[in-house]
Every structure is written in C-alpha cells, then in structure tokens.
Amino acid sequence: MTALPSAALTYEVADERFARFGGDARAYKLHEDNRWAEGPVYVPAGRYLLWSDIPNDRMLRWDETTGVVGVFRSPAGHTNGHTLDRSGRLISCEQGNRRLTRTEHDGTVTVLADRHEGNRFNSPNDVVVAADGGIWFTDPDYGIMNDYEGFRAESETDGCHVYRVNPATGDVQRVADDFVKPNGLAFSLDESRLYIADTRANHIREFTVGPGGKLSGGEVFAMCETGRFDGFRLDTAGRLWAAAGDGVHCFAPDGKLIGKIKLPEEAANLTFGGPKRNLMFVCATTTVYAFMTAATGVS
C-alpha cells in the first residue's frame, strides 16, 4: 500500500477519550476517478473492497492483495449502499432500479424487495442485516429527484421511510415514517438499539429495537457540526464513526463527539476491513481512502 498516492490526515481531539487513538499519519488513495463514491463494503472471503460510483452507474472493486482496481459491475442500477448477509452474500441498494437485491454466490441477482403495499420504493439508500436475518434499509428520494443518481420519477409513497424485510416471510414492513431524508443506519453491538441518520435534519437518531422489528424512542443521538451526516459504522467498543463534511467524526457511546479525522474531501460513507478489521475505508466524493486505525470495526 505504500506505493499508492496519499494525503495527510489530521486527528482533531475533542475529548480525552480520543487522545489515545493512533493510526496512520496519511490516508492512501485507492482510487480517485469517481464522480460520487458511496457504499463501501469489505468482503473478507476475497480480501477485496466494493463500492458504488453512483452517477457513473458502476460498482468498483479494489483487491487488497494486489492493489488493483477494476469494474465489478456496470451497469449496476445506480447502486448506493451495500452490506453482507450472514452467509457472506452481497446485499445492495439499487437507487436506479428502486429495489433491494442480493448477489448469490454464483453471481446471479435475486430481488429481495421492490415495493411496499404495492407501491415502488423511492430509491433504497443504505442497508444493514441483523443477526436474525432481518434486512433493514432506508428509502430517501435521491435517486428519483433527477437523472444524476438514478432516473427522475414521481414518488409512489407518502414520504421517505425506513423498512425491514422479514427474514422468515420476505414481507416488507415500514418501521419508521417520521424522517425527512433517512440515510445511513447501524445497530448497536447487542442490536438492542438502531442508529439512523436523517441527512436533511443533520442528525443521527437512536431507537430501541423491540420484538418483530418494532422501533421505539428515536431521540437525537448526535448532531453534525460540519456538512451533513451520511453513512457510519460502529467499532467493537461501541463508538460510532460517521462520515461528514470534513472527514470522519467519532462519537462515544454516550453520544459525545470525542474526535475527528480530517480528510481533504467530503466523506459520504465508510467501513472497516482488512485481516484485523482495523483498516478504515472512506468513500469521499471522488476518492476512496484507506488508513489503519487503533479501532477495530464490527462491520
């Protein structure tokens, strides 16, 4: 990785709990030729990173062992967020096709959900899979607002909501309907809480997860100081690492901002990977960055 171009990292400490963090002094640039990089997911079985270049309607793949970047899928349905299910299969939010899909181990694509109560989704954005196999995803309207990130179209729903695919039946249920633009989401370590970003409201909310996917609460967990919140991930200590306008913001489990890792571009999303899951990958506008941290990610 040392042969790659890099950019200096700035660690900004807001709380002594962040002062102990070490890591790389520079972020290595894995790829710079994106229009809008999003949705990174690390595939440990193949030691590679996938991400979406939404306006270019393609998914790209970086091989950890060789450093080579190539096209994984194009056209890709203007994919945005991705994750892996418990069997290591790729789950993707296809903004352009307005659906949630799963890529099987043989490469075929299965549609998991494309409607709720007979109406098409707006443009599924980000996704997470629970331990019980339930698939949770957000559905803002970025992919139908214009032709840049998808295809201009009229919304068939009464707003931008959050949904869950039942693992036993495949039925889709609406689990939250009081968001302006729901975006990134992630579970707490024990999955008793679900964090969901509302990009337009510029905050992350915290919900209690009940039986059958019922959510309660929804208090504001954190506000964004710079830019806007988008995607985020948790580490094994329960800290939340969120993409924002000036890089990555780190929040303690109590919601306090404890530090930032500054990047040259606006960050959209991030994930952890590498053999020890301490390599942070950040999709930041035109560039995908990678740097090693002292944190170990859970996803």
Side-chain angles (χ1 to χ4, degrees):
M1 189 176 289
T2 54
L4 295 171
S6 63
L9 286 176
T10 301
Y11 292 82
E12 185 176 290
V13 178
D15 184 281
E16 63 179 8
R17 287 173 288 181
F18 195 72
R20 297 187 297 272
F21 274 91
D24 288 340
R26 304 189 68 82
Y28 296 97
K29 299 178 180 181
L30 305 186
H31 188 68
E32 298 181 87
D33 188 26
N34 305 280
R35 273 201 167 92
W36 180 247
E38 251 283 15
V41 58
Y42 181 79
V43 183
R47 292 189 64 183
Y48 60 85
L49 179 79
L50 296 176
W51 72 90
S52 301
D53 184 2
I54 303 175
N56 285 324
D57 193 16
R58 61 182 181 173
M59 293 169 60
L60 297 174
R61 176 184 187 273
W62 172 76
D63 187 279
E64 185 177 7
T65 60
T66 65
V68 173
V69 174
V71 175
F72 176 79
R73 182 177 295 163
S74 180
H78 293 279
T79 54
N80 192 323
H82 307 276
T83 192
L84 300 179
D85 70 8
R86 300 292 160 156
S87 298
R89 295 171 296 187
L90 180 69
I91 308 295
S92 300
C93 293
E94 298 184 11
Q95 287 194 165
N97 294 327
R98 301 167 72 171
R99 66 187 190 178
L100 186 72
T101 62
R102 180 178 66 219
T103 300
E104 310 296 347
H105 292 306
D106 64 2
T108 59
V109 175
T110 300
V111 177
L112 298 176
D114 61 0
R115 298 173 188 272
H116 177 254
E117 297 182 346
N119 298 314
R120 297 185 71 189
F121 298 122
N122 295 316
S123 54
N125 184 282
D126 209 349
V127 59
V128 65
V129 179
D132 67 358
I135 303 174
W136 302 66
F137 66 98
T138 54
D139 185 45
D141 57 2
Y142 296 118
I144 62 173
M145 292 174 61
N146 50 55
D147 293 322
Y148 186 73
E149 293 188 50
F151 301 98
R152 185 188 301 273
E154 294 296 323
S155 175
E156 297 183 16
T157 71
D158 59 356
C160 300
H161 308 308
V162 184
Y163 298 92
R164 175 181 180 264
V165 180
N166 186 296
T169 65
D171 293 338
V172 179
Q173 64 185 112
R174 184 186 295 179
V175 294
D177 58 6
D178 59 345
F179 281 80
V180 184
K181 290 283 193 287
N183 205 313
L185 71 172
F187 284 105
S188 63
L189 300 183
D190 62 1
E191 296 193 358
S192 66
R193 300 181 305 282
L194 179 66
Y195 303 97
I196 308 174
D198 193 330
T199 298
R200 183 65 61 84
N202 219 18
H203 58 219
I204 294 172
R205 297 170 62 187
E206 181 180 8
F207 293 85
T208 298
V209 183
K214 183 177 177 58
L215 297 181
S216 60
E219 296 80 11
V220 173
F221 172 78
M223 296 292 299
C224 188
E225 291 185 347
T226 308
R228 57 189 179 181
F229 281 135
D230 201 323
F232 53 88
R233 295 291 188 275
L234 270 70
D235 66 20
T236 54
R239 293 174 291 246
L240 188 150
W241 300 78
D246 55 351
V248 178
H249 295 187
C250 181
F251 294 89
D254 61 9
K256 180 177 176 57
L257 175 67
I258 60 174
K260 299 180 181 182
I261 302 177
K262 297 288 194 70
L263 289 167
E265 299 176 83
E266 178 182 357
N269 212 332
L270 60 97
T271 196
F272 289 93
K276 298 180 180 179
R277 301 206 71 84
N278 62 347
L279 191 60
M280 184 178 288
F281 299 98
V282 183
C283 287
T285 315
T286 64
T287 306
V288 177
Y289 294 95
F291 50 93
M292 196 166 289
T293 74
T296 302
V298 295
S299 63

